[in-house]
Amino acid sequence: MADDGPTDWNDRERAPGTPPRVIVIGAGVAGLSTGCYAQMSGARTRIFEKHVLPGGCCTAWSRDGYLFDYCIEWLIGTAPGNDAHQVWRELGAFDGKTMTNFDLFNKVEDASGRSVTFYNDPDRLEAHLLEVSPADSAPVRAFTRDLRRFTGIDLYPFLTAPPLRTVRERAALLRTVLPAFRLFWRTAATPMHTFADTFQDPLLRQAFRNIFFQDPEGFPLLPYLFNMAAAHHGNAGFPQGGSLGLARSVEERYLGLGGTVTYRARAEKVLVEDGRAIGVELRNGRRYFAEHVVSACDGHTTVYKLLGGRYTGPRIERLYSDLIERPGTLFPAVVSAFVGIRGPFGEEEAHSTTHLLSAEDAAELPGALQNSLVVQVRSRYSDGFAPPGHSVVHCTYFSDFAYWKELRTRDRKEYRARKRQVAAFVRRFLERRTPGLAGRIELVDVASPATMHRYTGNHDGSILAWKAFSDADDVAARLVGKDRMRLPGLSGFSMAGQWVGMGGLIRAASTGRFATQYLCRELGLEFRAWESDGTAAEPWHPGKLGQLPQLDRWSAREGTGS
């Protein structure tokens, strides 16, 4: 949208008789969600985004006819009949789209070729695990018994901010939680590492740690059971169009509600007057005013750059000065290698496989944090990810952000050489698994954690921000529930997104809903939301993605991305 329209965004005071203005910083999923709900509730909104695309981390880029889908591996809320799905329907995220569901969550294979497949169906999973290791019947049956119980639980508390829940909503939540309280408590208190170590089979000990593709370390059993149960019901699928497709659909919904997005517009600071946020100043010096400002970008940047560190308190300081630097509190950054292949790939393979690497192989991956490589056949997730008759594979591993950041800052030539090393390893690894494949590889495009930091501003290049079940979890929950997503001493301002409400796209979207519910009370508006009329939507097609960027120009010559 154009920078200026027939509005009063450049005026300190809003035009008489017009609805209150809300400025949103960042057009990621949380920012777009905030804009949608604020528009539905009668506010006028404007989103400023530094990038040329919506979505933030929920993004994709292209090269030579391939689409490199960066974010979604599974999405909670893809099946009808639950609150998570309602949020996505309100945001228009699924309009005109089909969903892809797989019968397994992930496959894990060790260096010798032994493998275990984590089927979403508890009965099939139990039979398979007992076949892999009959001696481990006790822990196998314990896990699948709990998985069956989770398949009967419908708990997606994403519609109303905790302090604003009605008596009816609280009662409904209790009716779900109380009968399963001991199950929740026990699985939340049992670390996956502790449980996995009860297996006799060394493959199962490692495989259970990698159900979520790589070992997030520190997770208890509960999230594994919850997500696999959701997948069993088709509620953790993959939407047509993928990550950027999701962002584009929510953007379309927002624009249809009358909102405005300005791209290539980096916010430099939040304007504050007498302890109240009154607008933003962009890098180009232009100022825009509003009755409320919502920051839906990186939390550390918001607190210490946009606001200069002036509005903090014990909770904010603990999150953004203490915990953010503590090992194990943030989700690790990721190295991504997208491989474009002429012809088919992986027709006999699982859609997603974690390969447990030998020490020698792992040593060849620069900055690797674990001895594993995830290989996903992304062209099986959605149409349009590869040219007709071609395939695209996404290879990832957890990596050290500081390694890549220092390398890129100190020696750009060496930085590119290390990315070529990643590309060369991926080529050799895939050829070793499928002889003759190397001759059909058309390109390898590598993105490092430094790439993520450059394009999104996410602290340490972390895609998912705070790690659930870490020390940050309780602090962030109080920031949402007790502080109402506000900062001490500053009115007219809110924060939204994964740096407030934890990681995951449904959580990001729900923070936009919560932030709007809170600001409606401040601005005297009635919070309103309704589902998009998806039946009238044009069927999804790749053309809806719009103009897609490549990464740096030199990547086309060297084949290693940004």
Side-chain angles (χ1 to χ4, degrees), residues 29 33 37 74-94 99 153-160 226-227 230 234-237 246 250 504-510 513-514 531:
V29 169
S33 171
Y37 286 116
W74 78 90
L75 185 70
I76 292 295
T78 53
N82 59 82
D83 290 350
H85 187 79
Q86 179 180 327
V87 171
W88 293 126
R89 294 292 304 149
E90 290 170 350
L91 298 177
F94 299 156
M99 300 293 158
I153 296 171
D154 180 10
L155 182 62
Y156 301 98
F158 300 120
L159 292 183
T160 307
F226 174 87
N227 283 278
N235 200 39
L246 185 90
V250 181
L505 289 175
I506 184 57
R507 287 182 176 272
S510 70
R513 207 177 195 276
F514 294 172
E531 293 188 9

Side-chain angles (χ1 to χ4, degrees), residues 437-511:
L437 181 68
R440 295 193 287 119
I441 292 178
E442 296 188 323
L443 57 85
V444 182
D445 194 288
V446 177
S448 80
T451 311
M452 168 55 59
H453 182 261
R454 289 174 56 220
Y455 281 91
T456 70
N458 267 20
H459 189 82
D460 282 3
S462 176
I463 300 175
L464 288 172
W466 307 114
K467 188 184 289 185
F469 305 98
S470 70
D471 290 341
D473 201 332
D474 287 340
V475 182
R478 293 189 188 100
L479 187 59
V480 172
K482 187 171 183 179
D483 298 340
R484 303 195 173 202
M485 305 164 80
R486 307 297 176 89
L487 297 179
L490 182 62
S491 61
F493 180 84
S494 307
M495 294 175 66
Q498 59 185 5
W499 292 100
V500 179
M502 308 299 290
L505 289 175
I506 184 57
R507 287 182 176 272
S510 70
T511 64

Side-chain angles (χ1 to χ4, degrees), residues 65-138:
Y66 291 94
L67 181 69
F68 303 138
D69 188 82
Y70 185 72
C71 176
I72 299 175
E73 292 172 313
W74 78 90
L75 185 70
I76 292 295
T78 53
N82 59 82
D83 290 350
H85 187 79
Q86 179 180 327
V87 171
W88 293 126
R89 294 292 304 149
E90 290 170 350
L91 298 177
F94 299 156
D95 287 357
K97 296 179 179 178
T98 59
M99 300 293 158
T100 299
N101 289 287
F102 299 101
D103 61 358
L104 61 96
F105 206 91
N106 190 34
K107 177 181 175 182
V108 181
E109 183 175 308
D110 67 16
S112 71
R114 287 188 71 218
S115 66
V116 57
T117 302
F118 288 95
Y119 296 105
N120 298 317
D121 177 74
D123 295 337
R124 188 177 181 187
L125 175 62
E126 182 175 291
H128 171 66
L129 293 176
L130 291 176
E131 183 179 350
V132 171
S133 179
D136 284 309
S137 62

Side-chain angles (χ1 to χ4, degrees), residues 45-63:
T45 68
R46 185 159 190 171
I47 299 176
F48 293 103
E49 167 58 47
K50 70 173 186 174
H51 197 20
V52 298
L53 295 174
C57 299
C58 190
T59 192
W61 58 95
S62 67
R63 186 168 153 207

Side-chain angles (χ1 to χ4, degrees), residues 520-561:
C520 278
R521 294 207 163 194
E522 175 191 304
L523 298 176
L525 300 172
E526 178 187 357
F527 176 80
R528 293 182 295 168
W530 60 89
E531 293 188 9
S532 172
D533 183 11
T535 59
E538 176 188 9
W540 175 264
H541 56 85
K544 282 180 166 283
L545 294 173
Q547 184 68 32
L548 289 172
Q550 293 188 4
L551 297 185
D552 291 350
R553 290 182 179 179
W554 62 266
S555 67
R557 299 193 303 271
E558 301 189 25
T560 53

Side-chain angles (χ1 to χ4, degrees), residues 314-532:
R315 244 188 299 280
I316 295 297
E317 289 288 346
R318 179 158 169 72
L319 272 179
Y320 295 112
S321 292
D322 175 16
L323 293 176
I324 201 167
E325 302 298 338
R326 188 177 298 181
T329 307
L330 295 185
F331 257 97
V334 173
V335 170
S336 288
F338 288 95
V339 185
I341 299 168
R342 186 174 61 256
F345 177 86
E347 294 176 330
E348 71 292 343
E349 295 275 354
H351 72 284
S352 176
T353 302
T354 298
H355 294 276
L356 304 177
L357 303 177
S358 67
E360 293 76 18
D361 275 347
E364 295 186 45
L365 290 176
L369 296 178
Q370 297 178 3
N371 292 2
S372 57
L373 180 74
V374 181
V375 177
Q376 296 180 331
V377 191
R378 298 295 280 189
S379 44
R380 290 173 53 189
Y381 286 58
S382 180
D383 57 303
F385 283 4
H390 294 64
S391 306
V392 63
V393 172
H394 189 196
C395 302
T396 58
Y397 65 91
F398 282 161
S399 189
D400 179 25
F401 170 77
Y403 169 87
W404 291 99
K405 180 66 174 177
E406 189 275 336
L407 193 60
R408 190 177 188 277
T409 302
R410 173 177 53 82
D411 188 339
R412 194 70 59 83
K413 184 177 179 180
E414 181 65 16
Y415 170 75
R416 294 172 181 170
R418 293 286 75 76
K419 297 212 303 180
R420 285 194 294 273
Q421 182 178 333
V422 173
F425 176 86
V426 166
R427 287 177 183 269
R428 291 194 305 273
F429 183 82
L430 295 178
E431 168 67 20
R432 195 164 66 205
R433 287 195 50 79
T434 308
L437 181 68
R440 295 193 287 119
I441 292 178
E442 296 188 323
L443 57 85
V444 182
D445 194 288
V446 177
S448 80
T451 311
M452 168 55 59
H453 182 261
R454 289 174 56 220
Y455 281 91
T456 70
N458 267 20
H459 189 82
D460 282 3
S462 176
I463 300 175
L464 288 172
W466 307 114
K467 188 184 289 185
F469 305 98
S470 70
D471 290 341
D473 201 332
D474 287 340
V475 182
R478 293 189 188 100
L479 187 59
V480 172
K482 187 171 183 179
D483 298 340
R484 303 195 173 202
M485 305 164 80
R486 307 297 176 89
L487 297 179
L490 182 62
S491 61
F493 180 84
S494 307
M495 294 175 66
Q498 59 185 5
W499 292 100
V500 179
M502 308 299 290
L505 289 175
I506 184 57
R507 287 182 176 272
S510 70
T511 64
R513 207 177 195 276
F514 294 172
T516 304
Q517 290 168 346
Y518 287 139
L519 71 85
C520 278
R521 294 207 163 194
E522 175 191 304
L523 298 176
L525 300 172
E526 178 187 357
F527 176 80
R528 293 182 295 168
W530 60 89
E531 293 188 9
S532 172

